[in-house]
Amino acid sequence: MKRRVILLGPPGSGKGTIAAQLQQRFGLPHVSSGHLLRKEAESGSPVGKRVQMFLEKGELVPDAIVLELMAGWWNSAPLENGFMLDGFPRALVQAQALDDWLLAKRAPIEVVLLYDCNLEVVLDRITGRLSCPSCGRVYHIRSLPPKVAGRCDAGCAALIQRSDDSESVTRKRFEIYARQAEPMVTYYRHQGKLAVIDATKPPADRFEETVRALN
Ligand code: AP5
């Protein structure tokens, strides 16, 4: 099974949901750039304060900040068990930097899973999403409610609606994704690593398709 994986796709396509399923089933470590950035913002550090401004507006955080944060992961992560990168890379310059890092560790990306999803589905999912600010686990008020209303099933924290999950900010994130993704998709298609998955399917079908792409 391929174990060095990138999860690509618009906001709400289900990258975080799939990552949780793959982590549970195959023990693949999940690395979410969005989660790391939200933690940095919560820390209130000078960088975190800058990050927060981009997150709230739904804009991409500057590459230099993201690359520094992700270099922390790359420097310290044991890569032997593989990994799933969710939300990173998000721009061609990030994809190229990642390839250079992984080449140095002789651990190149094996597959890039592109979760294809339209804006209508994305808006329905994101405006109903609840997230755990502590562990990053996600729920949905209708399709995936927590066992106890308002509480994370893992027992860590009260669930919140992310500040960038409003309809207007989600529309903006979707537009930015559509613009930024194309060059990266071409980049990975040329490398022969791209697998496109229909992300509008129910979670079980989408998971099955994902497992097929990993094998
Ligand atoms: P990030 O945290 O990466 O957010 P995102 O990519 O916008 O993706 P989401 O977390 O919103 O959605 P998802 O695809 O994980 O869907 P989920 O599984 O939760 O980034 C946030 C921000 O950080 C960015 O806007 C940017 O500012 C910044 N950032 C991050 N990385 C960056 C980078 N590399 N460079 C620059 N800036 C960066 O599912 C959504 C909902 O749908 C859930 O409620 C779920 O329960 C439900 N759901 C999922 N699948 C299904 C299904 N099949 N059927 C029904 N419901 C479903």
Side-chain angles (χ1 to χ4, degrees):
M1 196 183 99
K2 299 183 179 84
R3 294 184 69 89
R4 293 191 296 273
V5 183
I6 290 175
L7 309 173
L8 267 189
S13 55
K15 303 177 298 294
T17 304
I18 280 285
Q21 291 171 312
L22 291 172
Q23 188 165 37
Q24 196 178 22
R25 177 78 78 86
F26 302 113
L28 270 179
H30 175 204
V31 185
S32 158
S33 54
H35 187 63
L36 293 174
L37 286 165
R38 284 186 286 279
K39 288 273 171 206
E40 187 66 42
E42 266 169 43
S43 76
S45 68
V47 173
K49 284 184 183 147
R50 260 197 90 200
V51 165
Q52 181 61 23
M53 292 187 323
F54 292 98
L55 294 183
E56 270 171 13
K57 287 190 274 182
E59 289 171 5
L60 290 186
V61 174
D63 291 330
I65 295 179
V66 174
L67 287 173
E68 195 172 334
L69 193 76
M70 293 306 294
W73 160 75
W74 170 76
N75 277 323
S76 59
L79 302 181
E80 308 81 63
N81 288 334
F83 51 81
M84 288 171 292
L85 292 175
D86 161 8
F88 178 86
R90 229 183 185 92
L92 192 55
V93 63
Q94 296 181 12
Q96 287 161 337
L98 176 67
D99 270 356
D100 290 346
W101 293 346
L102 295 178
L103 196 68
K105 291 211 174 180
R106 296 171 197 268
I109 292 296
E110 293 176 292
V111 66
V112 178
L113 304 173
L114 171 61
Y115 291 93
D116 198 20
C117 200
N118 60 59
L119 178 61
E120 203 187 346
V121 170
V122 160
L123 286 175
D124 177 58
R125 288 186 187 167
I126 289 217
T127 52
R129 172 166 63 184
L130 296 170
S131 308
C132 175
S134 175
C135 72
R137 205 158 158 173
V138 291
Y139 303 84
H140 191 276
I141 45 172
R142 286 180 302 280
S143 64
L144 188 64
K147 288 180 189 143
V148 176
R151 304 294 309 180
C152 179
D153 289 354
C156 26
L159 300 176
I160 56 153
Q161 187 171 35
R162 269 169 45 182
S163 61
D164 58 347
D165 276 357
S166 66
E167 179 173 338
S168 59
V169 176
T170 302
R171 282 181 186 277
K172 186 166 176 191
R173 285 159 60 202
F174 190 91
E175 268 169 37
I176 292 174
Y177 166 81
R179 247 196 338 264
Q180 291 285 127
E182 193 49 42
M184 270 199 313
V185 169
T186 306
Y187 179 74
Y188 288 121
R189 187 174 281 125
H190 283 156
Q191 292 188 359
K193 292 180 177 171
L194 195 74
V196 182
I197 293 173
D198 180 358
T200 62
K201 287 185 177 171
D205 298 348
R206 190 184 52 192
F207 183 64
E208 216 174 276
E209 212 180 307
T210 297
V211 173
R212 269 203 300 277
L214 292 177
N215 283 317

